[in-house]
Amino acid sequence: MITVLSGGTGTPKLLQGIKEIVDEKELNIIVNTLENNYFSGVYVSADVDTVLYTMSDLINEDTWYGRKDDTFHTHEELKKLGFDETLRIGDKDRALKIQKTMLMQQYSLTKSIKIQSKSLNILSNILPMSDKQSEIIIRTDEGDLSFHEFLIEKKSEPQVLDVIYKNVEPTEEVLEALENSEQIIIGPSNPITSINPIISMPEVKKILKGKYVTSVSPIIGESAVSGPAAKFMKSKGYEVNPRGVAKIYEEFLDHYIINTTDNKYKNSIEEFTDKVSVTNIILKTMDEKIELAKMILNY
Ligand code: GDP
């Protein structure tokens, strides 16, 4: 088995490549749930849904959120009724979210995702990192904000002073998936809000230390490919470059992959890991995604 740790933008791009070369049944994907919450009456677990759509080839690759070819009739009607949705949810995407919300009246998030994976004919094992309702606060120069207030209402503009989260506890399924894996891949996801919540759970970290862990940098040069990762890293006192990410993973990192343009960091990163590879990690075409997947899996 192989286990991939994922957020909702960078790692799903890599998953598209991995999916082409491995037996999907041999793949576990543990997904961040830190920002999960109720919006417009439905439970939104954005990163998990992105992974569900990625693995069923339904993902909207323009936004890495929601389904491709969706419509927004319900969203528009809500607006006409005077309800301004925080998240712009598509009609088909909303159907999945309504189903999840209803399933969760009866089952855990893990079980609900299992049922939805089956409905979408997904053979891989998609696991939310936690079944608990976590809390995340982005402490900024404009006060404490929820993740979505920071990201959507404030467009990631405020200066970030700290990122605080609590109530993250792994499920039995997550620990079992990690235990049963020969290789663990930390995809190019936000190290502070997508990966750290998973790896900082003590039971998870303990298992990672005994496994072969490969990671791909989400940072190229001194900036993130997209999103607020740089601001979050800075607030936690990490250098914003590929080396800063390696430092976060240093306790268990065996192989780290950085971009061709970042060769200058290679030697200094060897302080944190045994092996550093340099290649293209900007994932646009399917060929680029498959090439990177092959390097990671040594195919
Ligand atoms: P979120 O849940 O939407 O925040 O998504 P993730 O945490 O999965 O991914 C966000 C991170 O993905 C950002 O830090 C980006 O820099 C990184 N990212 C996005 N696209 C790419 C890419 O093509 N290559 C690499 N290396 N990183 C990427």
Side-chain angles (χ1 to χ4, degrees):
M1 293 296 286
I2 297 159
T3 295
V4 179
L5 310 188
S6 184
T9 306
T11 305
K13 294 181 189 176
L14 175 63
L15 281 169
Q16 290 178 317
I18 294 177
K19 179 170 162 305
E20 291 303 305
I21 60 170
V22 303
D23 176 353
E24 287 181 38
K25 290 199 279 301
E26 295 294 310
L27 191 62
N28 302 308
I29 309 161
I30 298 175
V31 192
N32 168 48
T33 57
L34 196 60
E35 304 104 33
N36 286 14
N37 220 327
Y38 286 87
F39 292 90
S40 312
V42 291
Y43 190 70
V44 175
S45 63
D47 290 0
V48 175
D49 287 358
T50 293
V51 172
L52 285 171
Y53 292 143
T54 301
M55 296 307 284
S56 53
D57 299 325
L58 296 169
I59 187 70
N60 176 349
E61 292 185 50
D62 294 329
T63 53
W64 291 93
Y65 175 83
R67 283 183 59 158
K68 62 183 170 193
D69 304 324
D70 213 341
T71 52
F72 290 87
H73 300 300
T74 311
H75 176 74
E76 294 305 328
E77 282 303 316
L78 283 168
K79 275 211 313 214
K80 280 187 206 159
L81 290 167
F83 180 77
D84 200 6
E85 285 198 294
T86 312
L87 303 181
R88 187 171 173 266
I89 303 172
D91 296 315
K92 293 178 186 173
D93 186 24
R94 197 182 302 266
L96 184 93
K97 288 171 171 37
I98 290 172
Q99 187 200 26
K100 190 182 290 92
T101 308
M102 295 180 76
L103 286 168
M104 286 176 64
Q105 290 175 6
Q106 214 179 333
Y107 304 116
S108 65
L109 180 62
T110 299
K111 177 86 191 280
S112 305
I113 300 299
K114 206 180 182 78
I115 293 169
Q116 294 199 303
S117 294
K118 204 163 171 215
S119 314
L120 293 167
N121 296 319
I122 295 169
L123 301 174
S124 301
N125 185 20
I126 301 177
L127 296 169
M129 69 173 185
S130 181
D131 277 336
K132 284 199 123 186
Q133 185 59 49
S134 334
E135 284 171 56
I136 173 167
I137 294 164
I138 313 293
R139 183 148 290 164
T140 76
D141 58 346
E142 297 183 25
D144 285 357
L145 302 171
S146 75
F147 190 76
H148 290 92
E149 278 169 342
F150 173 76
L151 201 71
I152 295 164
E153 285 165 35
K154 302 280 184 182
K155 301 189 172 67
S156 303
E157 278 163 8
Q159 192 196 337
V160 180
L161 308 174
D162 202 359
V163 179
I164 302 152
Y165 50 79
K166 50 186 176 201
N167 233 5
V168 187
E169 217 175 75
T171 61
E172 279 305 313
E173 290 85 348
V174 159
L175 298 177
E176 202 179 310
L178 291 167
E179 285 285 9
N180 294 336
S181 295
E182 295 87 52
Q183 185 176 4
I184 291 162
I185 301 165
I186 302 180
S189 277
N190 189 320
I192 306 299
T193 50
S194 295
I195 302 299
N196 224 11
I198 309 176
I199 63 173
S200 58
M201 296 188 276
E203 305 92 324
V204 170
K205 189 172 276 185
K206 194 167 160 218
I207 302 173
L208 290 182
K209 283 180 181 168
K211 298 286 176 181
Y212 192 82
V213 180
T214 307
S215 182
V216 177
S217 177
I219 303 287
I220 295 178
E222 292 176 3
S223 28
V225 179
S226 60
K231 280 192 169 185
F232 293 165
M233 285 179 70
K234 216 167 162 188
S235 80
K236 290 283 183 195
Y238 293 106
E239 304 171 29
V240 180
N241 56 39
R243 191 171 183 274
V245 181
K247 167 105 184 103
I248 301 177
Y249 305 153
E250 72 171 323
E251 284 172 82
F252 44 75
L253 188 61
D254 297 294
H255 181 197
Y256 187 54
I257 307 178
I258 61 175
N259 200 47
T260 323
T261 49
D262 283 334
N263 200 27
K264 64 171 187 262
Y265 293 107
K266 188 171 186 280
N267 289 347
S268 69
I269 292 174
E270 281 162 359
E271 180 188 340
F272 303 129
T273 181
D274 291 341
K275 186 173 167 192
V276 182
S277 298
V278 184
T279 189
N280 171 52
I281 60 166
I282 302 171
L283 303 174
K284 292 205 174 104
T285 67
M286 190 50 97
D287 282 349
E288 287 166 341
K289 293 166 186 173
I290 292 174
E291 276 313 302
L292 184 59
K294 281 185 179 163
M295 174 183 260
I296 292 171
L297 295 161
N298 213 4
Y299 277 27

